[in-house]
Amino acid sequence: MTDDKRHINWDLIVRHLMDVATGEEREEVERWLAENEGNGEYYRKAKRYFETYYTGKETRVVDCKGAWNEFVVYADKSRETHIWRAIVKYAAILLFPLCVGFGYWFLENDESQTTFVSEDISIEPGTTKAVLVFNSGQQVKLTDSIAFGQAIEKFKPSGQIDEAVEYNKIIVPRGGEYNLVLADGTSVMINSDSKLNVPDRFEGKERRVRLEGEALFHVARDVEHPFIVETVGGDVTVLGTVFNVNAYSDEDYVQTTLVEGSVAFQGKGMADAKTISPGEQITYDLQTNGINVERVNTDIFTAWTEGKWIIEGMRLDEIMKQLARWYDITVFYQNPEAKELVFTGDLEKYNKCNVILDIISLTTNVEFELKERVIIVKMK
């Protein structure tokens, strides 16, 4: 099959299949079909899947937050060896008088490989939520309507002395995320299953917080008072910048990705700090104390703060870790070799987990079974 099929607007094919194309649109599709056999083969596959999943009682509707025009997934045993390639197409289709849904079909692999996640179980995406734990042990739930600063003032224990700087803890559970502004104006977006220890105000020569998990920092510039993020593996020191820190307790590394400004990282096993520039990422190995600095696409590591995941050459087990934290689920591998599959593509973070799993299942040789909040991963 040639790549000529990509030279036509996908919407035209959908409209042609739905029999709602204009005369001019029909002529364009017919000309495209006449160009080569590859286009005809592509169209026939589209028609077969369209009839299977979009017409009559057999139609399966996925109520997505949005529809992607194209989702490309590569599943490899390594980044160098290409094994599978598939393209999943989405289109908005009016299926019932009172229901507009988004659906998808798989065009590149044999239809016998199509497997859907059970529709009886629906796993919703995470939400904005956190718990503020005061130094005294008092706990307050944080939501959209309660800002961090307001909570500090409103719920501060009566016995707490105003003159003393108190460190409090923000806990973002699995299935949650939370955005807060610190006393100095620094903005922090905290990811699922993360903890951030912060003071009610900053005093002294430095501004220091402690992170376990992942967070994106927009640090308010103050050359006289460096901002320091403590992690299990070392400290990240900045004056004013934008950077992402990944320091989950179940990982064997600490990773800092710099978007703007300048940061210096010093691991606990490092004699000197290492400074990186915008567009660079430093990864510190907790086992060997080794470091690796490389240039990266920072969007990949900050997209989670904007409602999506940009995945490039990521192993399935790493993807499933992210899903487990965000959807508050447990993952079990019936076939351990499935962990080694590598994917590339964009995923909408606020879709239901079922939709994400269906995409992966439709585009590679892996399938999922849901039992309550446990996902069983197995090869087809």
Side-chain angles (χ1 to χ4, degrees):
M1 185 186 300
T2 72
D3 287 337
D4 292 340
K5 61 181 178 292
R6 296 177 184 174
H7 296 164
I8 190 171
N9 189 319
W10 174 252
D11 291 340
L12 290 182
I13 296 180
V14 174
R15 291 174 62 80
H16 194 273
L17 290 170
M18 293 178 65
D19 198 26
V20 295
T22 64
E24 183 178 347
E25 289 172 337
R26 287 180 179 277
E27 290 179 3
E28 183 174 350
V29 173
E30 296 300 328
R31 286 195 299 270
W32 173 77
L33 287 171
E35 288 177 1
N36 58 64
E37 178 58 28
N39 291 347
E41 179 184 349
Y42 181 80
Y43 183 86
R44 286 190 293 274
K45 281 191 175 183
K47 185 174 186 293
R48 182 169 68 249
Y49 281 91
F50 181 86
E51 291 173 344
T52 300
Y53 296 111
Y54 290 94
T55 59
K57 296 181 180 180
E58 298 302 318
T59 300
R60 181 182 189 278
V61 180
V62 179
D63 184 16
C64 303
K65 181 180 180 181
W68 297 297
N69 291 325
E70 182 175 74
F71 180 87
V72 181
V73 175
Y74 298 89
D76 307 271
K77 283 292 182 181
S78 68
R79 297 192 184 190
E80 293 76 25
T81 306
H82 181 65
I83 298 178
W84 303 90
R85 177 173 179 170
I87 298 177
V88 177
K89 298 290 186 176
Y90 285 74
I93 301 176
L94 181 62
L95 294 173
F96 302 102
L98 299 178
C99 176
V100 177
F102 287 101
Y104 51 76
W105 55 91
F106 182 43
L107 298 178
E108 297 285 23
N109 281 356
D110 185 82
E111 62 182 326
S112 63
Q113 294 184 356
T114 302
T115 303
F116 292 107
V117 176
S118 171
E119 297 183 47
D120 297 331
I121 303 174
S122 179
I123 300 179
E124 300 292 333
T127 59
T128 298
K129 58 183 176 182
V131 177
L132 169 60
V133 182
F134 286 97
N135 192 48
S136 64
Q138 178 183 349
Q139 298 186 13
V140 177
K141 290 184 178 180
L142 300 177
T143 65
D144 284 331
S145 61
I146 303 178
F148 171 69
Q150 295 173 333
I152 289 289
E153 293 301 320
K154 182 176 181 180
F155 298 103
K156 180 187 297 184
S158 57
Q160 185 168 309
I161 303 174
D162 290 339
E163 287 74 15
V165 176
E166 295 285 347
Y167 267 79
N168 308 301
K169 181 181 294 185
I170 304 293
I171 300 176
V172 179
R174 291 163 67 95
E177 63 182 4
Y178 194 75
N179 192 10
L180 71 153
V181 178
L182 302 182
D184 66 335
T186 292
S187 174
V188 187
M189 182 68 172
I190 310 174
N191 208 347
S192 303
D193 198 16
S194 300
K195 301 173 184 176
L196 185 69
N197 286 65
V198 297
D200 53 3
R201 65 184 185 277
F202 292 107
E203 290 186 354
K205 297 181 179 180
E206 62 186 26
R207 298 168 289 168
R208 183 177 290 268
V209 300
R210 179 173 178 80
L211 173 69
E212 178 184 322
E214 184 172 23
L216 178 72
F217 294 84
H218 289 252
V219 177
R221 185 170 180 79
D222 184 347
V223 295
E224 300 296 329
H225 302 89
F227 191 95
I228 301 174
V229 181
E230 294 182 21
T231 72
V232 64
D235 296 347
V236 181
T237 303
V238 304
L239 297 178
T241 187
V242 180
F243 62 100
N244 191 82
V245 178
N246 188 320
Y248 280 104
S249 59
D250 60 349
E251 302 287 4
D252 57 5
Y253 63 85
V254 173
Q255 192 173 74
T256 300
T257 306
L258 182 61
V259 180
E260 299 175 6
S262 177
V263 304
F265 176 83
Q266 183 165 11
K268 292 184 176 180
M270 297 170 56
D272 300 303
K274 176 67 176 179
T275 301
I276 60 175
S277 302
E280 290 186 332
Q281 179 184 82
I282 183 169
T283 303
Y284 177 68
D285 191 311
L286 297 175
Q287 304 298 321
T288 66
N289 295 326
I291 63 170
N292 179 61
V293 177
E294 61 181 336
R295 294 202 63 81
V296 297
N297 176 2
T298 59
D299 290 343
I300 295 174
F301 302 93
T302 61
W304 66 269
T305 67
E306 299 176 357
K308 61 183 177 181
W309 292 296
I310 300 177
I311 300 171
E312 288 192 4
M314 182 179 290
R315 285 169 49 117
L316 178 62
D317 57 347
E318 293 299 319
I319 296 173
M320 296 308 294
K321 281 184 182 180
Q322 293 188 29
L323 298 185
R325 293 171 184 142
W326 179 236
Y327 293 101
D328 190 16
I329 55 177
T330 300
V331 180
F332 172 77
Y333 293 89
Q334 180 172 306
N335 302 107
E337 61 268 27
K339 297 180 181 181
E340 300 177 11
L341 295 175
V342 177
F343 297 86
T344 293
D346 293 359
L347 297 172
E348 291 291 330
K349 180 180 173 182
Y350 295 107
N351 272 331
K352 293 181 180 180
C353 185
N354 309 56
V355 175
I356 302 297
L357 297 179
D358 276 350
I359 292 170
I360 297 175
S361 180
L362 281 166
T363 54
T364 189
N365 195 34
V366 68
E367 61 185 4
F368 305 92
E369 181 181 352
L370 294 183
K371 291 186 177 180
E372 295 183 351
R373 301 195 72 83
V374 176
I375 295 179
I376 301 173
V377 184
K378 49 190 175 181
M379 303 295 289
K380 291 181 181 177

